Coordinates of all heavy atoms in Angstrom, one line a residue:
M30 N 97.1 -41.5 -23.7 CA 96.5 -40.6 -22.7 C 97.7 -40.1 -21.9 O 98.6 -40.8 -21.5 CB 95.5 -41.4 -21.8 CG 94.9 -40.5 -20.8 SD 93.5 -41.3 -20.1 CE 93.0 -40.1 -18.9
L31 N 97.6 -38.8 -21.6 CA 98.7 -38.1 -20.9 C 98.6 -38.5 -19.4 O 97.6 -38.5 -18.7 CB 98.5 -36.6 -21.0 CG 99.6 -35.8 -20.3 CD1 100.9 -36.0 -20.9 CD2 99.2 -34.3 -20.4
E32 N 99.8 -38.9 -18.9 CA 99.9 -39.3 -17.5 C 100.2 -38.1 -16.7 O 101.0 -37.3 -17.0 CB 100.9 -40.4 -17.3 CG 101.1 -40.8 -15.9 CD 102.2 -41.9 -15.7 OE1 102.6 -42.4 -16.7 OE2 102.6 -42.1 -14.6
V33 N 99.5 -38.0 -15.5 CA 99.7 -36.8 -14.6 C 100.9 -37.3 -13.7 O 100.8 -38.2 -12.9 CB 98.5 -36.5 -13.8 CG1 98.8 -35.4 -12.8 CG2 97.3 -36.2 -14.7
T34 N 102.0 -36.5 -13.8 CA 103.1 -36.8 -13.0 C 103.2 -35.8 -11.8 O 102.5 -34.9 -11.7 CB 104.4 -36.7 -13.9 OG1 104.5 -35.3 -14.3 CG2 104.3 -37.6 -15.1
P35 N 104.1 -36.1 -10.9 CA 104.3 -35.2 -9.7 C 104.8 -33.8 -10.2 O 104.5 -32.8 -9.5 CB 105.4 -35.8 -8.9 CG 105.2 -37.3 -9.2 CD 104.8 -37.4 -10.6
L36 N 105.4 -33.7 -11.4 CA 105.8 -32.4 -11.9 C 104.6 -31.6 -12.2 O 104.5 -30.4 -11.9 CB 106.6 -32.6 -13.2 CG 107.0 -31.3 -13.9 CD1 107.9 -30.5 -13.0 CD2 107.7 -31.6 -15.2
H37 N 103.5 -32.2 -12.7 CA 102.3 -31.4 -13.0 C 101.7 -30.9 -11.7 O 101.3 -29.7 -11.7 CB 101.3 -32.4 -13.7 CG 101.7 -32.8 -15.1 ND1 102.2 -34.0 -15.3 CD2 101.7 -32.1 -16.2 CE1 102.4 -34.1 -16.6 NE2 102.1 -33.0 -17.2
Y38 N 101.7 -31.7 -10.7 CA 101.2 -31.2 -9.4 C 102.1 -30.1 -8.9 O 101.5 -29.1 -8.3 CB 101.2 -32.3 -8.4 CG 100.1 -33.4 -8.7 CD1 100.5 -34.7 -9.0 CD2 98.8 -33.1 -8.7 CE1 99.6 -35.7 -9.2 CE2 97.8 -34.1 -9.0 CZ 98.3 -35.4 -9.2 OH 97.3 -36.3 -9.5
S39 N 103.4 -30.2 -9.1 CA 104.3 -29.2 -8.6 C 104.0 -27.9 -9.4 O 104.0 -26.8 -8.8 CB 105.7 -29.6 -8.7 OG 105.9 -30.7 -7.8
L40 N 103.8 -28.0 -10.6 CA 103.5 -26.8 -11.4 C 102.2 -26.1 -11.0 O 102.2 -24.9 -10.9 CB 103.6 -27.1 -12.9 CG 105.0 -27.5 -13.5 CD1 104.8 -27.9 -14.9 CD2 105.9 -26.3 -13.4
L41 N 101.2 -26.9 -10.8 CA 100.0 -26.4 -10.4 C 100.1 -25.7 -9.0 O 99.6 -24.6 -8.8 CB 98.9 -27.5 -10.3 CG 97.5 -27.1 -9.7 CD1 96.8 -26.1 -10.6 CD2 96.7 -28.3 -9.5
A42 N 100.8 -26.3 -8.1 CA 100.9 -25.8 -6.8 C 101.8 -24.4 -6.9 O 101.5 -23.5 -6.2 CB 101.6 -26.8 -5.9
A43 N 102.8 -24.5 -7.7 CA 103.6 -23.2 -7.8 C 102.8 -22.1 -8.4 O 102.9 -21.0 -8.0 CB 104.8 -23.5 -8.7
A44 N 101.9 -22.4 -9.4 CA 101.0 -21.4 -10.0 C 100.0 -20.8 -8.9 O 99.9 -19.6 -8.8 CB 100.3 -21.9 -11.2
L45 N 99.5 -21.7 -8.2 CA 98.5 -21.3 -7.1 C 99.3 -20.4 -6.1 O 98.8 -19.4 -5.6 CB 97.8 -22.5 -6.5 CG 96.7 -23.1 -7.2 CD1 96.2 -24.4 -6.4 CD2 95.6 -22.1 -7.4
F46 N 100.5 -20.9 -5.7 CA 101.2 -20.2 -4.7 C 101.6 -18.8 -5.2 O 101.5 -17.8 -4.4 CB 102.5 -21.0 -4.4 CG 103.3 -20.4 -3.2 CD1 103.0 -20.8 -1.9 CD2 104.3 -19.6 -3.4 CE1 103.6 -20.3 -0.9 CE2 105.0 -19.1 -2.4 CZ 104.7 -19.4 -1.0
M47 N 102.0 -18.6 -6.4 CA 102.4 -17.3 -7.0 C 101.1 -16.4 -7.1 O 101.2 -15.2 -6.8 CB 103.0 -17.5 -8.3 CG 104.4 -18.0 -8.3 SD 105.5 -17.2 -7.1 CE 105.6 -15.6 -7.8
I48 N 100.0 -16.9 -7.5 CA 98.7 -16.2 -7.6 C 98.4 -15.7 -6.1 O 98.1 -14.5 -6.0 CB 97.6 -17.0 -8.2 CG1 97.9 -17.2 -9.7 CG2 96.3 -16.3 -8.0 CD1 97.0 -18.2 -10.3
G49 N 98.6 -16.5 -5.2 CA 98.2 -16.2 -3.8 C 99.2 -15.1 -3.3 O 98.8 -14.1 -2.6
V50 N 100.5 -15.3 -3.6 CA 101.5 -14.2 -3.1 C 101.2 -12.9 -3.8 O 101.3 -11.8 -3.1 CB 102.9 -14.7 -3.3 CG1 103.9 -13.6 -3.2 CG2 103.2 -15.9 -2.5
I51 N 101.0 -12.9 -5.1 CA 100.6 -11.7 -5.8 C 99.4 -11.0 -5.2 O 99.3 -9.8 -5.0 CB 100.5 -11.9 -7.3 CG1 101.9 -12.2 -7.8 CG2 99.9 -10.7 -8.0 CD1 101.9 -12.8 -9.3
G52 N 98.4 -11.9 -4.9 CA 97.2 -11.3 -4.3 C 97.4 -10.7 -2.9 O 96.8 -9.6 -2.6
V53 N 98.3 -11.3 -2.1 CA 98.5 -10.7 -0.8 C 99.3 -9.4 -1.0 O 99.1 -8.4 -0.3 CB 99.3 -11.7 0.0 CG1 99.9 -11.0 1.3 CG2 98.5 -12.8 0.4
L54 N 100.2 -9.3 -1.9 CA 101.1 -8.2 -2.1 C 100.4 -7.0 -2.8 O 100.7 -5.9 -2.5 CB 102.4 -8.5 -2.8 CG 103.3 -9.5 -2.1 CD1 104.5 -9.9 -2.9 CD2 103.8 -8.9 -0.7
V55 N 99.5 -7.3 -3.7 CA 99.0 -6.3 -4.6 C 97.6 -5.7 -4.1 O 97.4 -4.5 -4.1 CB 98.9 -6.8 -6.0 CG1 98.2 -5.8 -6.9 CG2 100.2 -7.1 -6.6
R56 N 96.7 -6.6 -3.7 CA 95.4 -6.2 -3.4 C 95.3 -5.5 -2.0 O 96.1 -5.7 -1.1 CB 94.4 -7.4 -3.4 CG 94.4 -8.1 -4.7 CD 94.0 -7.2 -5.8 NE 92.7 -6.7 -5.6 CZ 91.6 -7.1 -6.3 NH1 91.7 -8.0 -7.3 NH2 90.4 -6.6 -6.1
R57 N 94.4 -4.6 -1.9 CA 94.2 -3.8 -0.7 C 92.9 -4.2 0.1 O 92.7 -3.8 1.2 CB 94.0 -2.3 -1.0 CG 95.2 -1.7 -1.7 CD 96.4 -1.5 -0.9 NE 96.9 -2.7 -0.3 CZ 98.1 -2.9 0.3 NH1 98.9 -1.9 0.5 NH2 98.5 -4.0 0.8
N58 N 92.1 -5.0 -0.5 CA 90.9 -5.5 0.2 C 91.2 -6.7 1.1 O 91.9 -7.6 0.7 CB 89.8 -5.9 -0.9 CG 88.5 -6.3 -0.3 OD1 88.4 -6.7 0.8 ND2 87.5 -6.0 -1.1
V59 N 90.8 -6.6 2.3 CA 91.2 -7.6 3.4 C 90.6 -9.0 3.0 O 91.3 -10.0 3.2 CB 90.8 -7.2 4.7 CG1 91.1 -8.2 5.8 CG2 91.5 -5.9 5.1
I60 N 89.4 -9.0 2.5 CA 88.8 -10.3 2.1 C 89.5 -11.0 1.0 O 89.7 -12.2 1.0 CB 87.3 -10.1 1.7 CG1 86.6 -9.6 3.0 CG2 86.6 -11.3 1.2 CD1 85.1 -9.1 2.7
I61 N 90.0 -10.2 0.0 CA 90.8 -10.8 -1.1 C 92.1 -11.3 -0.6 O 92.6 -12.3 -1.0 CB 91.0 -9.7 -2.2 CG1 89.7 -9.2 -2.8 CG2 91.9 -10.2 -3.3 CD1 88.9 -10.2 -3.5
I62 N 92.6 -10.5 0.4 CA 93.9 -11.0 0.9 C 93.7 -12.4 1.7 O 94.6 -13.3 1.6 CB 94.5 -9.9 1.9 CG1 95.0 -8.7 1.1 CG2 95.7 -10.5 2.7 CD1 95.3 -7.6 1.9
F63 N 92.6 -12.5 2.4 CA 92.3 -13.8 3.1 C 92.2 -14.9 2.0 O 92.6 -16.0 2.2 CB 91.1 -13.7 3.9 CG 91.3 -13.3 5.3 CD1 90.8 -12.1 5.8 CD2 92.2 -13.9 6.1 CE1 91.1 -11.7 7.1 CE2 92.5 -13.5 7.4 CZ 91.9 -12.4 7.9
M64 N 91.5 -14.6 0.9 CA 91.3 -15.6 -0.2 C 92.7 -16.0 -0.7 O 92.9 -17.1 -1.1 CB 90.4 -15.1 -1.2 CG 88.9 -15.0 -0.7 SD 87.8 -14.1 -1.8 CE 88.1 -14.9 -3.4
S65 N 93.6 -15.0 -0.9 CA 94.9 -15.3 -1.4 C 95.7 -16.2 -0.5 O 96.4 -17.1 -0.9 CB 95.6 -14.0 -1.7 OG 94.9 -13.2 -2.6
I66 N 95.5 -15.9 0.8 CA 96.2 -16.8 1.8 C 95.7 -18.2 1.7 O 96.4 -19.2 1.8 CB 96.0 -16.2 3.2 CG1 96.8 -14.9 3.3 CG2 96.5 -17.2 4.3 CD1 96.6 -14.1 4.6
E67 N 94.3 -18.4 1.4 CA 93.8 -19.7 1.3 C 94.4 -20.4 0.0 O 94.6 -21.6 0.1 CB 92.3 -19.6 1.2 CG 91.6 -19.1 2.4 CD 91.8 -20.1 3.6 OE1 91.8 -21.3 3.4 OE2 91.8 -19.6 4.7
L68 N 94.6 -19.6 -1.0 CA 95.3 -20.2 -2.2 C 96.6 -20.7 -1.9 O 97.0 -21.7 -2.3 CB 95.3 -19.1 -3.3 CG 94.1 -18.9 -4.2 CD1 94.3 -17.8 -5.2 CD2 93.6 -20.2 -4.8
I69 N 97.4 -19.9 -1.1 CA 98.7 -20.4 -0.7 C 98.7 -21.6 0.1 O 99.5 -22.6 -0.2 CB 99.4 -19.2 0.1 CG1 99.7 -18.0 -0.8 CG2 100.7 -19.7 0.8 CD1 100.1 -16.8 -0.1
L70 N 97.7 -21.7 1.0 CA 97.6 -22.9 1.8 C 97.2 -24.1 1.0 O 97.7 -25.2 1.2 CB 96.6 -22.7 3.0 CG 97.1 -21.7 4.1 CD1 96.0 -21.5 5.1 CD2 98.3 -22.2 4.8
N71 N 96.3 -23.9 0.0 CA 95.9 -24.9 -0.9 C 97.1 -25.4 -1.8 O 97.2 -26.6 -2.1 CB 94.7 -24.6 -1.7 CG 93.5 -24.6 -0.9 OD1 93.4 -25.5 0.0 ND2 92.5 -23.8 -1.2
A72 N 97.9 -24.5 -2.2 CA 99.1 -24.9 -3.0 C 100.0 -25.9 -2.1 O 100.6 -26.8 -2.6 CB 99.9 -23.7 -3.4
V73 N 100.2 -25.5 -0.9 CA 100.9 -26.4 0.1 C 100.3 -27.7 0.2 O 100.9 -28.8 0.1 CB 101.1 -25.7 1.4 CG1 101.7 -26.7 2.4 CG2 101.9 -24.4 1.3
N74 N 99.0 -27.8 0.3 CA 98.2 -29.0 0.4 C 98.4 -29.9 -0.9 O 98.6 -31.1 -0.7 CB 96.8 -28.7 0.6 CG 96.4 -28.3 2.0 OD1 97.3 -28.4 2.9 ND2 95.3 -27.6 2.1
I75 N 98.4 -29.3 -2.1 CA 98.6 -30.0 -3.3 C 100.0 -30.7 -3.3 O 100.1 -31.8 -3.6 CB 98.4 -29.1 -4.5 CG1 96.9 -28.8 -4.6 CG2 98.9 -29.8 -5.8 CD1 96.5 -27.8 -5.7
N76 N 101.0 -29.9 -2.9 CA 102.3 -30.5 -2.8 C 102.4 -31.6 -1.9 O 103.1 -32.6 -2.1 CB 103.3 -29.4 -2.5 CG 103.9 -28.7 -3.7 OD1 103.9 -29.3 -4.8 ND2 104.4 -27.5 -3.6
L77 N 101.8 -31.4 -0.6 CA 101.9 -32.4 0.3 C 101.2 -33.8 -0.1 O 101.8 -34.8 0.1 CB 101.3 -32.0 1.6 CG 102.1 -31.0 2.5 CD1 101.2 -30.4 3.6 CD2 103.3 -31.6 3.0
I78 N 100.1 -33.6 -0.7 CA 99.4 -34.8 -1.2 C 100.1 -35.5 -2.3 O 100.3 -36.7 -2.4 CB 97.9 -34.4 -1.7 CG1 97.1 -34.0 -0.5 CG2 97.3 -35.5 -2.5 CD1 96.7 -35.1 0.4
A79 N 100.7 -34.7 -3.3 CA 101.4 -35.3 -4.4 C 102.7 -36.0 -3.9 O 102.9 -37.1 -4.4 CB 101.8 -34.2 -5.4
L80 N 103.4 -35.4 -3.0 CA 104.6 -36.0 -2.5 C 104.3 -37.2 -1.6 O 105.0 -38.2 -1.6 CB 105.4 -35.0 -1.8 CG 106.1 -33.9 -2.7 CD1 106.8 -32.9 -1.8 CD2 107.0 -34.5 -3.7
A81 N 103.2 -37.2 -0.9 CA 102.8 -38.3 -0.1 C 102.4 -39.4 -1.0 O 102.7 -40.6 -0.7 CB 101.6 -37.9 0.8
H82 N 101.7 -39.1 -2.1 CA 101.4 -40.2 -3.0 C 102.6 -40.8 -3.7 O 102.7 -42.1 -3.9 CB 100.4 -39.7 -4.0 CG 100.0 -40.7 -5.1 ND1 99.2 -41.8 -4.8 CD2 100.3 -40.8 -6.4 CE1 99.0 -42.5 -5.9 NE2 99.7 -42.0 -6.9
Q83 N 103.5 -40.0 -4.0 CA 104.8 -40.4 -4.7 C 105.6 -41.3 -3.8 O 106.2 -42.3 -4.2 CB 105.6 -39.3 -5.2 CG 106.8 -39.7 -6.0 CD 107.6 -38.5 -6.5 OE1 107.3 -37.4 -6.1 NE2 108.6 -38.8 -7.3
L84 N 105.7 -40.9 -2.5 CA 106.5 -41.6 -1.5 C 105.8 -42.7 -0.8 O 106.4 -43.4 0.0 CB 107.1 -40.6 -0.5 CG 108.0 -39.5 -1.1 CD1 108.3 -38.5 0.0 CD2 109.2 -40.1 -1.7
Q85 N 104.5 -42.9 -1.1 CA 103.6 -43.9 -0.5 C 103.7 -43.8 1.0 O 103.9 -44.8 1.7 CB 104.1 -45.3 -1.0 CG 103.9 -45.5 -2.4 CD 102.4 -45.5 -2.9 OE1 101.6 -46.0 -2.2 NE2 102.1 -44.8 -4.0
D86 N 103.6 -42.6 1.5 CA 103.6 -42.3 2.9 C 102.4 -41.4 3.3 O 102.0 -40.5 2.6 CB 104.9 -41.4 3.3 CG 105.1 -41.3 4.7 OD1 104.4 -42.0 5.5 OD2 105.9 -40.5 5.1
L87 N 101.8 -41.8 4.4 CA 100.5 -41.1 4.8 C 100.8 -39.8 5.6 O 99.9 -39.1 5.9 CB 99.6 -42.0 5.6 CG 99.0 -43.2 4.8 CD1 98.2 -44.1 5.8 CD2 98.2 -42.6 3.7
A88 N 102.0 -39.6 5.9 CA 102.3 -38.4 6.8 C 101.9 -37.1 6.0 O 101.4 -36.2 6.7 CB 103.8 -38.4 7.1
G89 N 102.1 -37.0 4.7 CA 101.7 -35.8 4.0 C 100.2 -35.6 4.1 O 99.8 -34.4 4.2
Q90 N 99.4 -36.6 4.0 CA 98.0 -36.5 4.1 C 97.6 -36.1 5.5 O 96.6 -35.3 5.7 CB 97.3 -37.8 3.7 CG 97.6 -38.1 2.2 CD 97.0 -39.4 1.8 OE1 96.2 -40.0 2.6 NE2 97.3 -39.9 0.6
V91 N 98.2 -36.5 6.5 CA 98.0 -36.1 7.9 C 98.3 -34.6 8.1 O 97.5 -33.9 8.6 CB 98.8 -37.0 8.9 CG1 98.6 -36.4 10.3 CG2 98.3 -38.4 8.8
F92 N 99.3 -34.2 7.5 CA 99.7 -32.8 7.6 C 98.6 -31.9 6.8 O 98.3 -30.8 7.2 CB 101.1 -32.5 6.9 CG 102.2 -32.8 7.9 CD1 103.2 -33.7 7.5 CD2 102.3 -32.1 9.1 CE1 104.2 -34.0 8.4 CE2 103.4 -32.4 9.9 CZ 104.3 -33.3 9.6
V93 N 98.1 -32.4 5.7 CA 97.1 -31.7 5.0 C 95.8 -31.5 5.9 O 95.2 -30.4 5.9 CB 96.7 -32.4 3.7 CG1 95.4 -31.9 3.1 CG2 97.8 -32.3 2.7
V94 N 95.5 -32.5 6.7 CA 94.3 -32.4 7.5 C 94.6 -31.2 8.6 O 93.7 -30.4 8.9 CB 94.0 -33.7 8.3 CG1 93.0 -33.5 9.3 CG2 93.6 -34.7 7.2
F95 N 95.9 -31.2 9.1 CA 96.2 -30.1 10.0 C 96.1 -28.7 9.4 O 95.7 -27.7 9.9 CB 97.5 -30.3 10.7 CG 97.6 -31.5 11.7 CD1 98.4 -32.5 11.5 CD2 96.7 -31.4 12.8 CE1 98.4 -33.6 12.5 CE2 96.7 -32.4 13.7 CZ 97.5 -33.5 13.6
V96 N 96.6 -28.7 8.1 CA 96.6 -27.4 7.4 C 95.2 -27.0 7.1 O 94.9 -25.8 7.3 CB 97.4 -27.5 6.1 CG1 97.2 -26.3 5.2 CG2 98.9 -27.7 6.3
I97 N 94.3 -27.9 6.8 CA 92.9 -27.5 6.6 C 92.3 -27.0 7.9 O 91.6 -26.1 7.9 CB 92.1 -28.7 6.0 CG1 92.6 -29.0 4.5 CG2 90.6 -28.5 6.1 CD1 92.0 -30.3 4.0
A98 N 92.6 -27.6 9.0 CA 92.1 -27.2 10.3 C 92.6 -25.8 10.7 O 91.8 -24.9 11.1 CB 92.5 -28.1 11.4
V99 N 93.9 -25.6 10.4 CA 94.4 -24.2 10.7 C 93.8 -23.2 9.7 O 93.5 -22.1 10.1 CB 96.0 -24.2 10.5 CG1 96.5 -22.8 10.5 CG2 96.6 -25.1 11.6
A100 N 93.6 -23.6 8.5 CA 93.0 -22.6 7.5 C 91.6 -22.3 7.9 O 91.1 -21.1 7.8 CB 93.0 -23.2 6.1
A101 N 90.8 -23.3 8.4 CA 89.5 -23.0 8.9 C 89.4 -22.1 10.1 O 88.6 -21.2 10.1 CB 88.8 -24.3 9.2
A102 N 90.3 -22.4 11.0 CA 90.4 -21.5 12.2 C 90.8 -20.1 11.8 O 90.2 -19.1 12.3 CB 91.4 -22.1 13.2
E103 N 91.8 -19.9 10.9 CA 92.2 -18.7 10.4 C 91.1 -17.9 9.7 O 90.9 -16.7 9.9 CB 93.4 -18.8 9.5 CG 93.9 -17.5 8.8 CD 93.5 -17.4 7.4 OE1 93.2 -18.5 6.7 OE2 93.4 -16.4 6.8
A104 N 90.3 -18.6 8.9 CA 89.2 -18.0 8.2 C 88.2 -17.5 9.2 O 87.6 -16.4 9.0 CB 88.6 -18.9 7.2
A105 N 87.8 -18.3 10.2 CA 86.8 -17.9 11.1 C 87.2 -16.7 12.0 O 86.4 -15.8 12.1 CB 86.5 -19.2 12.0
V106 N 88.4 -16.8 12.5 CA 88.9 -15.6 13.3 C 89.1 -14.4 12.4 O 88.7 -13.3 12.8 CB 90.2 -16.0 14.0 CG1 90.8 -14.8 14.6 CG2 90.0 -17.1 15.0
G107 N 89.6 -14.5 11.2 CA 89.9 -13.4 10.3 C 88.6 -12.8 9.9 O 88.4 -11.5 9.9
L108 N 87.6 -13.6 9.5 CA 86.3 -13.0 9.1 C 85.6 -12.3 10.2 O 84.9 -11.3 10.1 CB 85.4 -14.1 8.5 CG 85.9 -14.5 7.1 CD1 85.0 -15.6 6.6 CD2 85.9 -13.3 6.1
G109 N 85.8 -12.9 11.5 CA 85.2 -12.2 12.6 C 85.8 -10.8 12.9 O 85.1 -9.9 13.2
I110 N 87.1 -10.8 12.7 CA 87.8 -9.5 12.9 C 87.4 -8.5 11.8 O 87.1 -7.3 12.0 CB 89.3 -9.7 12.9 CG1 89.8 -10.4 14.1 CG2 90.0 -8.3 12.7 CD1 91.2 -10.8 14.1
I111 N 87.2 -9.0 10.6 CA 86.8 -8.1 9.4 C 85.4 -7.6 9.7 O 85.1 -6.4 9.4 CB 86.9 -8.9 8.1 CG1 88.4 -9.1 7.8 CG2 86.2 -8.1 7.0 CD1 88.5 -10.0 6.6
I112 N 84.5 -8.5 10.1 CA 83.1 -8.0 10.4 C 83.1 -7.0 11.5 O 82.4 -6.0 11.4 CB 82.2 -9.3 10.7 CG1 82.0 -10.1 9.4 CG2 80.9 -8.8 11.3 CD1 81.3 -11.4 9.7
A113 N 83.8 -7.2 12.5 CA 83.9 -6.2 13.6 C 84.5 -4.9 13.1 O 83.9 -3.8 13.5 CB 84.7 -6.8 14.8
F114 N 85.5 -5.0 12.3 CA 86.1 -3.8 11.8 C 85.1 -3.0 10.9 O 85.0 -1.8 10.9 CB 87.4 -4.1 11.1 CG 88.1 -2.9 10.6 CD1 88.8 -2.1 11.4 CD2 88.0 -2.5 9.3 CE1 89.5 -1.0 11.0 CE2 88.7 -1.4 8.8 CZ 89.4 -0.6 9.7
Y115 N 84.5 -3.8 10.0 CA 83.5 -3.2 9.0 C 82.4 -2.5 9.8 O 81.9 -1.5 9.3 CB 83.0 -4.3 8.1 CG 82.1 -3.6 7.0 CD1 82.6 -3.0 5.9 CD2 80.7 -3.8 7.1 CE1 81.8 -2.4 5.0 CE2 79.9 -3.3 6.1 CZ 80.5 -2.6 5.1 OH 79.6 -2.0 4.1
R116 N 81.9 -3.1 10.8 CA 80.8 -2.5 11.6 C 81.3 -1.2 12.2 O 80.5 -0.2 12.4 CB 80.3 -3.4 12.7 CG 79.5 -4.5 12.2 CD 79.0 -5.4 13.3 NE 78.3 -6.5 12.7 CZ 77.9 -7.5 13.4 NH1 78.2 -7.7 14.7 NH2 77.2 -8.5 12.8
N117 N 82.5 -1.0 12.6 CA 83.0 0.3 13.1 C 83.4 1.3 12.1 O 83.1 2.5 12.2 CB 84.2 0.0 14.1 CG 83.8 -0.8 15.3 OD1 82.7 -0.6 15.8 ND2 84.7 -1.5 15.9
K118 N 84.2 0.9 11.0 CA 84.7 1.8 10.1 C 84.0 1.8 8.8 O 84.2 2.7 7.9 CB 86.2 1.5 9.9 CG 87.0 1.5 11.1 CD 87.2 2.9 11.7 CE 88.1 2.8 12.9 NZ 88.4 4.1 13.4
E119 N 83.2 0.8 8.5 CA 82.5 0.7 7.2 C 83.4 0.6 6.0 O 83.1 1.2 4.9 CB 81.4 1.8 7.0 CG 80.3 1.7 8.1 CD 79.2 2.7 7.9 OE1 79.4 3.5 6.9 OE2 78.3 2.6 8.6
T120 N 84.6 0.0 6.1 CA 85.4 -0.3 5.0 C 86.3 -1.5 5.3 O 86.4 -2.0 6.5 CB 86.4 0.9 4.8 OG1 87.3 0.6 3.7 CG2 87.3 1.2 6.0
V121 N 86.7 -2.2 4.2 CA 87.6 -3.3 4.4 C 88.9 -3.1 3.7 O 89.6 -4.0 3.4 CB 86.9 -4.6 3.8 CG1 85.8 -5.1 4.7 CG2 86.5 -4.5 2.4
N122 N 89.3 -1.8 3.5 CA 90.5 -1.5 2.8 C 91.6 -1.6 3.9 O 91.5 -1.0 5.0 CB 90.4 -0.1 2.3 CG 91.6 0.3 1.4 OD1 92.6 -0.4 1.4 ND2 91.5 1.4 0.7
I123 N 92.7 -2.3 3.5 CA 93.7 -2.5 4.5 C 94.5 -1.2 4.8 O 95.1 -1.1 5.9 CB 94.7 -3.7 4.0 CG1 95.5 -4.2 5.2 CG2 95.6 -3.2 2.9 CD1 96.1 -5.5 5.0
D124 N 94.5 -0.3 3.9 CA 95.2 1.0 4.1 C 94.6 1.8 5.3 O 95.2 2.6 5.9 CB 95.3 1.8 2.9 CG 96.3 1.1 1.8 OD1 97.2 0.4 2.3 OD2 96.0 1.3 0.6
E125 N 93.3 1.6 5.5 CA 92.5 2.4 6.5 C 92.5 1.7 7.8 O 91.9 2.2 8.7 CB 91.2 2.7 5.9 CG 91.2 3.5 4.7 CD 89.8 3.8 4.1 OE1 88.9 3.7 4.9 OE2 89.7 4.2 3.0
I126 N 93.1 0.5 7.9 CA 93.1 -0.2 9.2 C 94.3 0.2 9.9 O 95.4 -0.1 9.6 CB 93.1 -1.7 9.0 CG1 91.9 -2.2 8.2 CG2 93.3 -2.5 10.3 CD1 91.8 -3.7 7.9
Q127 N 94.1 1.1 10.9 CA 95.2 1.6 11.8 C 95.0 1.3 13.2 O 95.7 1.7 14.1 CB 95.3 3.1 11.6 CG 95.6 3.5 10.1 CD 95.7 5.0 10.0 OE1 95.4 5.7 10.9 NE2 96.0 5.4 8.8
L128 N 94.0 0.4 13.5 CA 93.6 0.2 14.9 C 94.6 -0.6 15.6 O 94.9 -0.3 16.8 CB 92.3 -0.6 14.8 CG 91.6 -1.0 16.2 CD1 91.2 0.4 16.9 CD2 90.5 -1.8 16.1
M129 N 95.3 -1.5 15.0 CA 96.3 -2.4 15.7 C 97.7 -1.9 15.4 O 98.7 -2.7 15.8 CB 96.1 -3.8 15.3 CG 94.7 -4.3 15.7 SD 94.4 -6.0 15.2 CE 95.3 -6.8 16.4
R130 N 97.9 -0.8 14.8 CA 99.3 -0.3 14.6 C 99.8 0.4 15.8 O 99.1 0.8 16.7 CB 99.3 0.7 13.4 CG 99.1 0.0 12.1 CD 99.3 1.0 11.0 NE 99.0 0.3 9.7 CZ 98.8 1.0 8.6 NH1 99.0 2.3 8.6 NH2 98.5 0.4 7.5
W131 N 101.2 0.4 15.9 CA 101.8 1.0 17.0 C 101.6 2.5 17.0 O 101.7 3.2 16.1 CB 103.3 0.7 17.1 CG 103.5 -0.7 17.4 CD1 103.7 -1.7 16.5 CD2 103.6 -1.3 18.7 NE1 103.8 -2.9 17.2 CE2 103.8 -2.6 18.5 CE3 103.6 -0.8 20.0 CZ2 104.0 -3.5 19.6 CZ3 103.7 -1.6 21.1 CH2 103.9 -3.0 20.9

């Protein structure tokens, strides 16, 4: 049976991170961009958990709890802003969001 090593976790996290970065850079829909940011945060969480398990240290798992809390707050505030913007402009295209630009 194949053993799952920290390298496997690192490869999975790298793949998720790259998918998230590509999603942020390429897509124009704000909701898809938020989902891509969540992928990036989950990639960080996988790395933290894998390294915490390898080093037998609980600090990584504590950081994951903080990252999850920050991600939840980011999602709540971001979705609130998107809903308010959609009610005013009826679009979620990031190219049409000029409200907060200088």
Side-chain angles (χ1 to χ4, degrees):
M30 184 167 175
L31 182 64
E32 181 181 341
V33 179
T34 63
L36 176 65
H37 293 103
Y38 293 116
S39 296
L40 292 175
L41 174 65
L45 280 177
F46 188 84
M47 289 307 299
I48 291 170
V50 168
I51 290 170
V53 168
L54 294 177
V55 172
R56 300 301 299 253
R57 303 283 64 168
N58 188 329
V59 178
I60 295 173
I61 300 295
I62 292 172
F63 273 122
M64 291 171 47
S65 298
I66 292 171
E67 294 295 325
L68 279 179
I69 293 170
L70 292 174
N71 284 329
V73 171
N74 287 342
I75 289 173
N76 267 336
L77 286 172
I78 292 292
L80 292 175
H82 179 70
Q83 183 180 8
L84 299 174
Q85 297 296 319
D86 188 12
L87 292 177
Q90 295 176 8
V91 172
F92 279 120
V93 167
V94 172
F95 286 123
V96 169
I97 290 172
V99 169
E103 174 256 339
V106 172
L108 289 176
I110 291 172
I111 290 172
I112 289 171
F114 183 77
Y115 183 76
R116 286 182 180 166
N117 288 334
K118 302 290 182 180
E119 296 184 357
T120 183
V121 289
N122 189 350
I123 198 165
D124 292 331
E125 297 179 21
I126 298 175
Q127 300 175 355
L128 185 63
M129 298 179 77
R130 290 188 182 167
W131 291 92

